[in-house]
Amino acid sequence: MADDNFDVLVIGSGPGGYVAAIRAAQLGLNTACVESRETLGGTCLNVGCIPSKALLHASELFEEASHGAFAKFGIDIQGATLNLDQMHAEKAKAVKELTGGIEFLFKKNKVTWLKGRGEFVDAHTVKVGEQTVTAKNIVIATGSSVTPLPGVEIDQAVVVDSTGALALPKVPEHLVVIGGGVIGLELGSVWKRLGAKVTVVEYLDQILPGFDGEVRRESAKLFKKQGFELKTSTKVTGVTVQGGKASVQVEPAAGGEGETLQADAVLVAIGRKPNIDGLNLEAAGVKLTERGQVAIDHDFRTNIDGIWAIGDVAPGLMLAHKAEDEGIAVAENIAGQTGIVNHDVIPSVVYTTPEIAGVGLTEEAAKERGDVKVGKFPMMANSRAKTNRDTDGFVKVIADAKTDRVLGVWVVASLAGTMIAEAAIAMEFGATSEDIAYTCHAHPTHAEALKEAAMAVTGKPIHI
Ligand code: FAD
Ligand code: NAI
């Protein structure tokens, strides 16, 4: 049993943990990262962002090829068929390349990978399998896992979580998705495009909690147009599985007469919870928030000196890029530098068709803080979107009525995920709507819609 001593020990190798470990090593700190999975990269690379985007991309290609979407451009494709095994294989290849890439980066930066589950022994000691290691600084980056729905057992065959839904061996005839959030809509889109009927059961009166109200309404309209059945204000009271089929009992959230939905697969996607089980945080004396996250201050310090926390296990949005930025900042703080993450400017993207993205405040939240001006521009009036025949959606810029400073930007558009980066950088630099309006945007691009929405804040767009 060897005792190793590190300057920094990171528990978890997701986007938070692996980035923290690499940055710490770059800053000259002797660093190790504990990971219990077979491969590095955490939820995001193994069973999250990457495999879901691989299937979203492939399923979109399939839908376009098989539903004649290219015909109007003069491209006739006949008899496109689905080879689901190949689709899964290509997804697995992307995952393997990217997780292998992190292993390469660890070697390049001399980060030691300690394989196994980490468990605190005391505030500076962690047990990993048979090994006990000590470190001056320990970063908890253990991520999150699926929130279970009481009474609904996930068997990963008929009733699946997101991991199971990324690996279904055949296209279900009817997929019932419990939860109209990001996972439900992205993975629902995958299986819808591949041929399933998809019903989304959402407890609240609207899908996509946390997004701007107008964006939520427009998105629901577009998903319905695509053939999704959205059952909002509806709760699931039970799921029974028999003979490879599920019966999903639902009733109005406010109570009333229920119904039973028959499904070939059920996806439970009602949120995620921080991974703290088995870490033995009590041994280190680390405090939690009332929501079960590791409590931290502005600099990612827990209540115990030398113990830090970042990513999904800590408060804030559960997003890979938020975890990554916190990973860089925590390593810089440990090294005595000033690591900062601006949590007011974290973009969110839903990678559906069209994409849905936002950064900063919703119109509702902005109005609670004071007077705002709002500029909107429809993608229908954007020349590139019109040319490409992808005119669904709009861009919306919310600015402070007095200072004109941009408080939030929301985009529903085929390229919303790419377009939102410009809004984030503008907001990070404290831009006004006028700054965006007077910035020259290349023509013809979807990004011009952001410029026009900014111009609309003062009522002066050109193309509507
Ligand atoms: P994680 O990525 O969860 O990594 C934590 C790691 O710690 C895991 O590998 C785990 O095995 C390990 N671990 C836990 N406990 C221990 C222990 N005791 N000892 C050793 N190792 C341990 N976010 C986006 O920004 N964009 C997306 O497109 C996106 N798509 C997603 C799609 C799906 C289906 C899901 C489920 C999530 C998606 N997310 C997306 C969210 C994103 O995956 C998370 O926000 C991100 O992975 C959080 O990073 P993290 O480093 O905090 O934790
Ligand atoms: P979510 O919080 O986005 O959505 C969960 C939905 O389930 C909510 O609309 C909620 O009202 C609903 N719900 C909760 N309990 C319910 C019940 N009993 N019955 C019916 N509906 C219920 O969570 P989701 O989709 O599970 O995703 C988890 C996290 O993963 C997200 O918060 C997101 O941060 C991250 N993620 C990010 C992606 C991206 O950035 N593109 C993609 C996928 C996940």
PDB file of all heavy atoms in Angstrom, residues 11-12 14-16 34-37 42-44 47-49 52-53 116-118 141-144 162 183 272 279 311-312 318-321 323 351, ligand 1:
ATOM      1  N   ILE A  11     -11.367  14.508  -7.721  1.00  0.00           N
ATOM      2  CA  ILE A  11     -12.209  13.296  -7.733  1.00  0.00           C
ATOM      3  C   ILE A  11     -13.262  13.465  -8.822  1.00  0.00           C
ATOM      4  O   ILE A  11     -14.139  14.313  -8.722  1.00  0.00           O
ATOM      5  CB  ILE A  11     -12.885  13.037  -6.371  1.00  0.00           C
ATOM      6  CG1 ILE A  11     -11.857  13.099  -5.240  1.00  0.00           C
ATOM      7  CG2 ILE A  11     -13.590  11.676  -6.381  1.00  0.00           C
ATOM      8  CD1 ILE A  11     -12.450  12.884  -3.844  1.00  0.00           C
ATOM      9  N   GLY A  12     -13.143  12.651  -9.875  1.00  0.00           N
ATOM     10  CA  GLY A  12     -14.057  12.734 -11.018  1.00  0.00           C
ATOM     11  C   GLY A  12     -13.365  13.343 -12.228  1.00  0.00           C
ATOM     12  O   GLY A  12     -12.678  14.359 -12.109  1.00  0.00           O
ATOM     13  N   GLY A  14     -14.949  14.223 -15.262  1.00  0.00           N
ATOM     14  CA  GLY A  14     -15.853  14.832 -16.242  1.00  0.00           C
ATOM     15  C   GLY A  14     -15.267  16.159 -16.716  1.00  0.00           C
ATOM     16  O   GLY A  14     -14.113  16.485 -16.405  1.00  0.00           O
ATOM     17  N   PRO A  15     -16.057  16.944 -17.465  1.00  0.00           N
ATOM     18  CA  PRO A  15     -15.543  18.225 -17.979  1.00  0.00           C
ATOM     19  C   PRO A  15     -15.028  19.143 -16.867  1.00  0.00           C
ATOM     20  O   PRO A  15     -14.109  19.934 -17.093  1.00  0.00           O
ATOM     21  CB  PRO A  15     -16.755  18.853 -18.650  1.00  0.00           C
ATOM     22  CG  PRO A  15     -17.713  17.757 -18.878  1.00  0.00           C
ATOM     23  CD  PRO A  15     -17.419  16.671 -17.893  1.00  0.00           C
ATOM     24  N   GLY A  16     -15.602  19.036 -15.664  1.00  0.00           N
ATOM     25  CA  GLY A  16     -15.087  19.822 -14.549  1.00  0.00           C
ATOM     26  C   GLY A  16     -13.748  19.280 -14.088  1.00  0.00           C
ATOM     27  O   GLY A  16     -12.730  19.977 -14.064  1.00  0.00           O
ATOM     28  N   VAL A  34      -8.949  11.017  -9.802  1.00  0.00           N
ATOM     29  CA  VAL A  34      -9.555   9.722  -9.486  1.00  0.00           C
ATOM     30  C   VAL A  34     -10.778   9.528 -10.373  1.00  0.00           C
ATOM     31  O   VAL A  34     -11.626  10.419 -10.441  1.00  0.00           O
ATOM     32  CB  VAL A  34     -10.015   9.691  -8.002  1.00  0.00           C
ATOM     33  CG1 VAL A  34     -10.474   8.286  -7.620  1.00  0.00           C
ATOM     34  CG2 VAL A  34      -8.932  10.180  -7.078  1.00  0.00           C
ATOM     35  N   GLU A  35     -10.856   8.410 -11.054  1.00  0.00           N
ATOM     36  CA  GLU A  35     -12.050   8.141 -11.879  1.00  0.00           C
ATOM     37  C   GLU A  35     -12.372   6.662 -11.812  1.00  0.00           C
ATOM     38  O   GLU A  35     -11.507   5.823 -12.044  1.00  0.00           O
ATOM     39  CB  GLU A  35     -11.814   8.582 -13.335  1.00  0.00           C
ATOM     40  CG  GLU A  35     -12.949   8.221 -14.288  1.00  0.00           C
ATOM     41  CD  GLU A  35     -14.326   8.757 -13.883  1.00  0.00           C
ATOM     42  OE1 GLU A  35     -14.485   9.991 -13.795  1.00  0.00           O
ATOM     43  OE2 GLU A  35     -15.242   7.934 -13.630  1.00  0.00           O
ATOM     44  N   SER A  36     -13.663   6.382 -11.530  1.00  0.00           N
ATOM     45  CA  SER A  36     -14.059   4.976 -11.382  1.00  0.00           C
ATOM     46  C   SER A  36     -14.532   4.345 -12.690  1.00  0.00           C
ATOM     47  O   SER A  36     -14.612   3.118 -12.797  1.00  0.00           O
ATOM     48  CB  SER A  36     -15.164   4.866 -10.322  1.00  0.00           C
ATOM     49  OG  SER A  36     -16.202   5.765 -10.629  1.00  0.00           O
ATOM     50  N   ARG A  37     -14.872   5.147 -13.685  1.00  0.00           N
ATOM     51  CA  ARG A  37     -15.260   4.588 -14.991  1.00  0.00           C
ATOM     52  C   ARG A  37     -14.057   3.982 -15.691  1.00  0.00           C
ATOM     53  O   ARG A  37     -12.925   4.330 -15.383  1.00  0.00           O
ATOM     54  CB  ARG A  37     -15.734   5.708 -15.914  1.00  0.00           C
ATOM     55  CG  ARG A  37     -17.160   6.017 -15.892  1.00  0.00           C
ATOM     56  CD  ARG A  37     -17.404   7.177 -16.854  1.00  0.00           C
ATOM     57  NE  ARG A  37     -18.425   8.046 -16.338  1.00  0.00           N
ATOM     58  CZ  ARG A  37     -19.721   7.837 -16.486  1.00  0.00           C
ATOM     59  NH1 ARG A  37     -20.144   6.823 -17.183  1.00  0.00           N
ATOM     60  NH2 ARG A  37     -20.599   8.663 -15.954  1.00  0.00           N
ATOM     61  N   GLY A  42     -16.131  11.575 -17.958  1.00  0.00           N
ATOM     62  CA  GLY A  42     -17.367  11.739 -17.192  1.00  0.00           C
ATOM     63  C   GLY A  42     -18.630  11.475 -17.975  1.00  0.00           C
ATOM     64  O   GLY A  42     -18.625  10.844 -19.043  1.00  0.00           O
ATOM     65  N   THR A  43     -19.724  11.985 -17.427  1.00  0.00           N
ATOM     66  CA  THR A  43     -21.042  11.837 -18.060  1.00  0.00           C
ATOM     67  C   THR A  43     -21.001  12.407 -19.469  1.00  0.00           C
ATOM     68  O   THR A  43     -21.474  11.785 -20.426  1.00  0.00           O
ATOM     69  CB  THR A  43     -22.090  12.628 -17.237  1.00  0.00           C
ATOM     70  OG1 THR A  43     -22.065  12.185 -15.890  1.00  0.00           O
ATOM     71  CG2 THR A  43     -23.481  12.464 -17.814  1.00  0.00           C
ATOM     72  N   CYS A  44     -20.440  13.593 -19.597  1.00  0.00           N
ATOM     73  CA  CYS A  44     -20.508  14.335 -20.861  1.00  0.00           C
ATOM     74  C   CYS A  44     -19.960  13.519 -22.031  1.00  0.00           C
ATOM     75  O   CYS A  44     -20.642  13.327 -23.039  1.00  0.00           O
ATOM     76  CB  CYS A  44     -19.749  15.643 -20.701  1.00  0.00           C
ATOM     77  SG  CYS A  44     -19.705  16.626 -22.191  1.00  0.00           S
ATOM     78  N   VAL A  47     -21.677   9.301 -21.655  1.00  0.00           N
ATOM     79  CA  VAL A  47     -23.127   9.007 -21.763  1.00  0.00           C
ATOM     80  C   VAL A  47     -23.971  10.285 -21.782  1.00  0.00           C
ATOM     81  O   VAL A  47     -25.127  10.276 -21.371  1.00  0.00           O
ATOM     82  CB  VAL A  47     -23.589   8.089 -20.592  1.00  0.00           C
ATOM     83  CG1 VAL A  47     -23.040   6.694 -20.748  1.00  0.00           C
ATOM     84  CG2 VAL A  47     -23.200   8.681 -19.238  1.00  0.00           C
ATOM     85  N   GLY A  48     -23.374  11.389 -22.214  1.00  0.00           N
ATOM     86  CA  GLY A  48     -24.103  12.661 -22.185  1.00  0.00           C
ATOM     87  C   GLY A  48     -23.990  13.437 -23.468  1.00  0.00           C
ATOM     88  O   GLY A  48     -24.458  12.999 -24.530  1.00  0.00           O
ATOM     89  N   CYS A  49     -23.300  14.584 -23.383  1.00  0.00           N
ATOM     90  CA  CYS A  49     -23.213  15.523 -24.508  1.00  0.00           C
ATOM     91  C   CYS A  49     -22.823  14.826 -25.812  1.00  0.00           C
ATOM     92  O   CYS A  49     -23.468  15.016 -26.848  1.00  0.00           O
ATOM     93  CB  CYS A  49     -22.164  16.607 -24.245  1.00  0.00           C
ATOM     94  SG  CYS A  49     -21.971  17.112 -22.531  1.00  0.00           S
ATOM     95  N   SER A  52     -25.136  11.889 -27.247  1.00  0.00           N
ATOM     96  CA  SER A  52     -26.451  12.430 -27.625  1.00  0.00           C
ATOM     97  C   SER A  52     -26.336  13.283 -28.883  1.00  0.00           C
ATOM     98  O   SER A  52     -27.194  13.223 -29.767  1.00  0.00           O
ATOM     99  CB  SER A  52     -27.088  13.221 -26.474  1.00  0.00           C
ATOM    100  OG  SER A  52     -26.279  14.306 -26.082  1.00  0.00           O
ATOM    101  N   LYS A  53     -25.245  14.048 -28.987  1.00  0.00           N
ATOM    102  CA  LYS A  53     -25.082  14.872 -30.202  1.00  0.00           C
ATOM    103  C   LYS A  53     -24.776  13.998 -31.418  1.00  0.00           C
ATOM    104  O   LYS A  53     -25.177  14.324 -32.537  1.00  0.00           O
ATOM    105  CB  LYS A  53     -24.005  15.932 -30.000  1.00  0.00           C
ATOM    106  CG  LYS A  53     -24.552  17.268 -29.544  1.00  0.00           C
ATOM    107  CD  LYS A  53     -24.924  17.322 -28.084  1.00  0.00           C
ATOM    108  CE  LYS A  53     -26.348  17.255 -27.729  1.00  0.00           C
ATOM    109  NZ  LYS A  53     -26.606  17.289 -26.285  1.00  0.00           N
ATOM    110  N   GLY A 116     -10.465   3.963  -9.918  1.00  0.00           N
ATOM    111  CA  GLY A 116     -11.262   3.412  -8.819  1.00  0.00           C
ATOM    112  C   GLY A 116     -12.133   4.491  -8.210  1.00  0.00           C
ATOM    113  O   GLY A 116     -12.100   5.648  -8.632  1.00  0.00           O
ATOM    114  N   ARG A 117     -12.930   4.096  -7.219  1.00  0.00           N
ATOM    115  CA  ARG A 117     -13.818   5.057  -6.550  1.00  0.00           C
ATOM    116  C   ARG A 117     -13.068   5.746  -5.426  1.00  0.00           C
ATOM    117  O   ARG A 117     -12.385   5.104  -4.638  1.00  0.00           O
ATOM    118  CB  ARG A 117     -15.040   4.354  -5.959  1.00  0.00           C
ATOM    119  CG  ARG A 117     -16.070   3.936  -6.986  1.00  0.00           C
ATOM    120  CD  ARG A 117     -17.412   3.670  -6.338  1.00  0.00           C
ATOM    121  NE  ARG A 117     -18.077   4.914  -5.932  1.00  0.00           N
ATOM    122  CZ  ARG A 117     -18.675   5.745  -6.776  1.00  0.00           C
ATOM    123  NH1 ARG A 117     -18.694   5.491  -8.065  1.00  0.00           N
ATOM    124  NH2 ARG A 117     -19.257   6.836  -6.334  1.00  0.00           N
ATOM    125  N   GLY A 118     -13.215   7.048  -5.340  1.00  0.00           N
ATOM    126  CA  GLY A 118     -12.578   7.810  -4.272  1.00  0.00           C
ATOM    127  C   GLY A 118     -13.526   7.952  -3.091  1.00  0.00           C
ATOM    128  O   GLY A 118     -14.731   8.099  -3.270  1.00  0.00           O
ATOM    129  N   ALA A 141     -15.359  16.734  -7.924  1.00  0.00           N
ATOM    130  CA  ALA A 141     -15.945  16.984  -9.255  1.00  0.00           C
ATOM    131  C   ALA A 141     -16.655  15.716  -9.700  1.00  0.00           C
ATOM    132  O   ALA A 141     -16.432  15.208 -10.794  1.00  0.00           O
ATOM    133  CB  ALA A 141     -14.850  17.379 -10.238  1.00  0.00           C
ATOM    134  N   THR A 142     -17.523  15.204  -8.805  1.00  0.00           N
ATOM    135  CA  THR A 142     -18.116  13.880  -9.023  1.00  0.00           C
ATOM    136  C   THR A 142     -19.384  13.917  -9.877  1.00  0.00           C
ATOM    137  O   THR A 142     -19.979  12.872 -10.146  1.00  0.00           O
ATOM    138  CB  THR A 142     -18.412  13.205  -7.668  1.00  0.00           C
ATOM    139  OG1 THR A 142     -19.112  14.153  -6.847  1.00  0.00           O
ATOM    140  CG2 THR A 142     -17.136  12.783  -6.975  1.00  0.00           C
ATOM    141  N   GLY A 143     -19.816  15.106 -10.280  1.00  0.00           N
ATOM    142  CA  GLY A 143     -20.898  15.202 -11.252  1.00  0.00           C
ATOM    143  C   GLY A 143     -22.270  14.884 -10.692  1.00  0.00           C
ATOM    144  O   GLY A 143     -22.553  15.074  -9.497  1.00  0.00           O
ATOM    145  N   SER A 144     -23.131  14.369 -11.573  1.00  0.00           N
ATOM    146  CA  SER A 144     -24.525  14.130 -11.188  1.00  0.00           C
ATOM    147  C   SER A 144     -25.029  12.848 -11.838  1.00  0.00           C
ATOM    148  O   SER A 144     -24.402  12.311 -12.749  1.00  0.00           O
ATOM    149  CB  SER A 144     -25.394  15.295 -11.663  1.00  0.00           C
ATOM    150  OG  SER A 144     -25.383  15.359 -13.078  1.00  0.00           O
ATOM    151  N   SER A 162     -31.416   8.352 -19.464  1.00  0.00           N
ATOM    152  CA  SER A 162     -30.789   8.875 -20.685  1.00  0.00           C
ATOM    153  C   SER A 162     -29.735   7.905 -21.224  1.00  0.00           C
ATOM    154  O   SER A 162     -29.595   7.748 -22.444  1.00  0.00           O
ATOM    155  CB  SER A 162     -30.169  10.248 -20.426  1.00  0.00           C
ATOM    156  OG  SER A 162     -29.264  10.202 -19.350  1.00  0.00           O
ATOM    157  N   ILE A 183     -33.168  16.854 -21.804  1.00  0.00           N
ATOM    158  CA  ILE A 183     -32.908  15.461 -22.195  1.00  0.00           C
ATOM    159  C   ILE A 183     -34.126  14.879 -22.914  1.00  0.00           C
ATOM    160  O   ILE A 183     -33.996  14.269 -23.982  1.00  0.00           O
ATOM    161  CB  ILE A 183     -32.547  14.601 -20.961  1.00  0.00           C
ATOM    162  CG1 ILE A 183     -31.180  15.035 -20.425  1.00  0.00           C
ATOM    163  CG2 ILE A 183     -32.561  13.106 -21.301  1.00  0.00           C
ATOM    164  CD1 ILE A 183     -30.661  14.239 -19.256  1.00  0.00           C
ATOM    165  N   ARG A 272     -31.496  15.846 -12.767  1.00  0.00           N
ATOM    166  CA  ARG A 272     -30.327  15.111 -12.282  1.00  0.00           C
ATOM    167  C   ARG A 272     -29.977  15.574 -10.880  1.00  0.00           C
ATOM    168  O   ARG A 272     -30.253  16.710 -10.513  1.00  0.00           O
ATOM    169  CB  ARG A 272     -29.138  15.302 -13.254  1.00  0.00           C
ATOM    170  CG  ARG A 272     -29.406  14.660 -14.606  1.00  0.00           C
ATOM    171  CD  ARG A 272     -28.291  14.891 -15.588  1.00  0.00           C
ATOM    172  NE  ARG A 272     -27.031  14.289 -15.201  1.00  0.00           N
ATOM    173  CZ  ARG A 272     -26.700  13.006 -15.374  1.00  0.00           C
ATOM    174  NH1 ARG A 272     -27.572  12.178 -15.938  1.00  0.00           N
ATOM    175  NH2 ARG A 272     -25.527  12.543 -15.009  1.00  0.00           N
ATOM    176  N   LEU A 279     -19.056   9.020  -1.039  1.00  0.00           N
ATOM    177  CA  LEU A 279     -17.833   9.849  -0.961  1.00  0.00           C
ATOM    178  C   LEU A 279     -17.349   9.986   0.484  1.00  0.00           C
ATOM    179  O   LEU A 279     -16.227  10.415   0.726  1.00  0.00           O
ATOM    180  CB  LEU A 279     -18.137  11.265  -1.480  1.00  0.00           C
ATOM    181  CG  LEU A 279     -17.852  11.571  -2.932  1.00  0.00           C
ATOM    182  CD1 LEU A 279     -18.271  13.007  -3.244  1.00  0.00           C
ATOM    183  CD2 LEU A 279     -16.363  11.410  -3.247  1.00  0.00           C
ATOM    184  N   GLY A 311     -18.613  21.996 -10.886  1.00  0.00           N
ATOM    185  CA  GLY A 311     -19.432  21.207 -11.815  1.00  0.00           C
ATOM    186  C   GLY A 311     -20.796  20.846 -11.255  1.00  0.00           C
ATOM    187  O   GLY A 311     -21.328  21.522 -10.374  1.00  0.00           O
ATOM    188  N   ASP A 312     -21.357  19.761 -11.766  1.00  0.00           N
ATOM    189  CA  ASP A 312     -22.739  19.379 -11.433  1.00  0.00           C
ATOM    190  C   ASP A 312     -22.943  19.087  -9.947  1.00  0.00           C
ATOM    191  O   ASP A 312     -24.068  19.164  -9.462  1.00  0.00           O
ATOM    192  CB  ASP A 312     -23.130  18.099 -12.201  1.00  0.00           C
ATOM    193  CG  ASP A 312     -23.510  18.372 -13.649  1.00  0.00           C
ATOM    194  OD1 ASP A 312     -23.269  19.493 -14.138  1.00  0.00           O
ATOM    195  OD2 ASP A 312     -24.053  17.444 -14.297  1.00  0.00           O
ATOM    196  N   MET A 318     -26.412  22.745 -14.640  1.00  0.00           N
ATOM    197  CA  MET A 318     -25.713  21.463 -14.846  1.00  0.00           C
ATOM    198  C   MET A 318     -25.303  21.369 -16.309  1.00  0.00           C
ATOM    199  O   MET A 318     -25.968  20.692 -17.107  1.00  0.00           O
ATOM    200  CB  MET A 318     -26.610  20.311 -14.442  1.00  0.00           C
ATOM    201  CG  MET A 318     -26.772  20.193 -12.943  1.00  0.00           C
ATOM    202  SD  MET A 318     -27.757  18.763 -12.523  1.00  0.00           S
ATOM    203  CE  MET A 318     -27.354  18.550 -10.800  1.00  0.00           C
ATOM    204  N   LEU A 319     -24.237  22.069 -16.664  1.00  0.00           N
ATOM    205  CA  LEU A 319     -23.793  22.104 -18.055  1.00  0.00           C
ATOM    206  C   LEU A 319     -22.289  21.864 -18.135  1.00  0.00           C
ATOM    207  O   LEU A 319     -21.530  22.295 -17.250  1.00  0.00           O
ATOM    208  CB  LEU A 319     -24.119  23.463 -18.678  1.00  0.00           C
ATOM    209  CG  LEU A 319     -25.616  23.770 -18.822  1.00  0.00           C
ATOM    210  CD1 LEU A 319     -25.837  25.199 -19.279  1.00  0.00           C
ATOM    211  CD2 LEU A 319     -26.288  22.785 -19.773  1.00  0.00           C
ATOM    212  N   ALA A 320     -21.872  21.215 -19.213  1.00  0.00           N
ATOM    213  CA  ALA A 320     -20.466  20.838 -19.362  1.00  0.00           C
ATOM    214  C   ALA A 320     -19.545  22.061 -19.400  1.00  0.00           C
ATOM    215  O   ALA A 320     -18.496  22.076 -18.762  1.00  0.00           O
ATOM    216  CB  ALA A 320     -20.302  20.014 -20.630  1.00  0.00           C
ATOM    217  N   HIS A 321     -19.950  23.095 -20.153  1.00  0.00           N
ATOM    218  CA  HIS A 321     -19.062  24.262 -20.280  1.00  0.00           C
ATOM    219  C   HIS A 321     -18.974  25.045 -18.983  1.00  0.00           C
ATOM    220  O   HIS A 321     -17.959  25.672 -18.702  1.00  0.00           O
ATOM    221  CB  HIS A 321     -19.497  25.156 -21.450  1.00  0.00           C
ATOM    222  CG  HIS A 321     -20.971  25.316 -21.583  1.00  0.00           C
ATOM    223  ND1 HIS A 321     -21.764  24.350 -22.146  1.00  0.00           N
ATOM    224  CD2 HIS A 321     -21.809  26.307 -21.213  1.00  0.00           C
ATOM    225  CE1 HIS A 321     -23.030  24.761 -22.124  1.00  0.00           C
ATOM    226  NE2 HIS A 321     -23.079  25.948 -21.556  1.00  0.00           N
ATOM    227  N   ALA A 323     -19.041  23.548 -16.040  1.00  0.00           N
ATOM    228  CA  ALA A 323     -18.110  22.720 -15.269  1.00  0.00           C
ATOM    229  C   ALA A 323     -16.670  22.964 -15.727  1.00  0.00           C
ATOM    230  O   ALA A 323     -15.756  23.086 -14.908  1.00  0.00           O
ATOM    231  CB  ALA A 323     -18.482  21.240 -15.421  1.00  0.00           C
ATOM    232  N   TYR A 351     -30.159  21.052 -28.406  1.00  0.00           N
ATOM    233  CA  TYR A 351     -29.710  20.739 -29.776  1.00  0.00           C
ATOM    234  C   TYR A 351     -30.772  20.007 -30.584  1.00  0.00           C
ATOM    235  O   TYR A 351     -30.527  18.947 -31.137  1.00  0.00           O
ATOM    236  CB  TYR A 351     -28.401  19.947 -29.716  1.00  0.00           C
ATOM    237  CG  TYR A 351     -27.281  20.745 -29.077  1.00  0.00           C
ATOM    238  CD1 TYR A 351     -27.090  20.730 -27.703  1.00  0.00           C
ATOM    239  CD2 TYR A 351     -26.439  21.546 -29.840  1.00  0.00           C
ATOM    240  CE1 TYR A 351     -26.096  21.477 -27.106  1.00  0.00           C
ATOM    241  CE2 TYR A 351     -25.433  22.302 -29.259  1.00  0.00           C
ATOM    242  CZ  TYR A 351     -25.268  22.260 -27.890  1.00  0.00           C
ATOM    243  OH  TYR A 351     -24.279  23.006 -27.298  1.00  0.00           O
TER     244      TYR A 351
HETATM  245  P1  FAD B   1     -19.549  14.434 -14.766  1.00  0.00           P
HETATM  246  O1  FAD B   1     -19.378  14.636 -16.199  1.00  0.00           O
HETATM  247  O2  FAD B   1     -20.806  13.776 -14.292  1.00  0.00           O
HETATM  248  O3  FAD B   1     -18.297  13.570 -14.291  1.00  0.00           O
HETATM  249  C1  FAD B   1     -18.150  13.111 -13.003  1.00  0.00           C
HETATM  250  C2  FAD B   1     -17.288  11.881 -13.027  1.00  0.00           C
HETATM  251  O4  FAD B   1     -16.951  11.561 -11.695  1.00  0.00           O
HETATM  252  C3  FAD B   1     -17.948  10.641 -13.606  1.00  0.00           C
HETATM  253  O5  FAD B   1     -17.160  10.092 -14.632  1.00  0.00           O
HETATM  254  C4  FAD B   1     -18.043   9.675 -12.436  1.00  0.00           C
HETATM  255  O6  FAD B   1     -17.800   8.328 -12.830  1.00  0.00           O
HETATM  256  C5  FAD B   1     -16.922  10.162 -11.550  1.00  0.00           C
HETATM  257  N1  FAD B   1     -17.125   9.867 -10.129  1.00  0.00           N
HETATM  258  C6  FAD B   1     -18.223  10.145  -9.377  1.00  0.00           C
HETATM  259  N2  FAD B   1     -18.010   9.786  -8.103  1.00  0.00           N
HETATM  260  C7  FAD B   1     -16.759   9.278  -8.052  1.00  0.00           C
HETATM  261  C8  FAD B   1     -15.953   8.750  -7.028  1.00  0.00           C
HETATM  262  N3  FAD B   1     -16.398   8.691  -5.766  1.00  0.00           N
HETATM  263  N4  FAD B   1     -14.716   8.300  -7.332  1.00  0.00           N
HETATM  264  C9  FAD B   1     -14.252   8.367  -8.615  1.00  0.00           C
HETATM  265  N5  FAD B   1     -14.959   8.877  -9.622  1.00  0.00           N
HETATM  266  C10 FAD B   1     -16.179   9.326  -9.342  1.00  0.00           C
HETATM  267  N6  FAD B   1     -24.170  19.535 -21.032  1.00  0.00           N
HETATM  268  C11 FAD B   1     -23.853  20.438 -21.983  1.00  0.00           C
HETATM  269  O7  FAD B   1     -23.273  21.490 -21.665  1.00  0.00           O
HETATM  270  N7  FAD B   1     -24.133  20.209 -23.307  1.00  0.00           N
HETATM  271  C12 FAD B   1     -24.768  19.090 -23.703  1.00  0.00           C
HETATM  272  O8  FAD B   1     -25.011  18.916 -24.892  1.00  0.00           O
HETATM  273  C13 FAD B   1     -25.139  18.126 -22.723  1.00  0.00           C
HETATM  274  N8  FAD B   1     -25.769  16.994 -23.081  1.00  0.00           N
HETATM  275  C14 FAD B   1     -26.078  16.072 -22.117  1.00  0.00           C
HETATM  276  C15 FAD B   1     -26.771  14.922 -22.511  1.00  0.00           C
HETATM  277  C16 FAD B   1     -27.106  13.973 -21.568  1.00  0.00           C
HETATM  278  C17 FAD B   1     -27.834  12.724 -22.015  1.00  0.00           C
HETATM  279  C18 FAD B   1     -26.750  14.168 -20.205  1.00  0.00           C
HETATM  280  C19 FAD B   1     -27.082  13.130 -19.174  1.00  0.00           C
HETATM  281  C20 FAD B   1     -26.081  15.319 -19.804  1.00  0.00           C
HETATM  282  C21 FAD B   1     -25.753  16.281 -20.767  1.00  0.00           C
HETATM  283  N9  FAD B   1     -25.111  17.465 -20.410  1.00  0.00           N
HETATM  284  C22 FAD B   1     -24.805  18.391 -21.371  1.00  0.00           C
HETATM  285  C23 FAD B   1     -24.728  17.757 -19.017  1.00  0.00           C
HETATM  286  C24 FAD B   1     -23.230  17.443 -18.819  1.00  0.00           C
HETATM  287  O9  FAD B   1     -22.992  16.102 -19.156  1.00  0.00           O
HETATM  288  C25 FAD B   1     -22.840  17.714 -17.377  1.00  0.00           C
HETATM  289  O10 FAD B   1     -23.197  19.028 -17.018  1.00  0.00           O
HETATM  290  C26 FAD B   1     -21.343  17.541 -17.205  1.00  0.00           C
HETATM  291  O11 FAD B   1     -20.929  16.247 -17.564  1.00  0.00           O
HETATM  292  C27 FAD B   1     -20.933  17.829 -15.756  1.00  0.00           C
HETATM  293  O12 FAD B   1     -19.564  17.647 -15.623  1.00  0.00           O
HETATM  294  P2  FAD B   1     -18.914  17.235 -14.226  1.00  0.00           P
HETATM  295  O13 FAD B   1     -17.448  17.231 -14.462  1.00  0.00           O
HETATM  296  O14 FAD B   1     -19.453  18.081 -13.159  1.00  0.00           O
HETATM  297  O15 FAD B   1     -19.429  15.766 -13.921  1.00  0.00           O
END
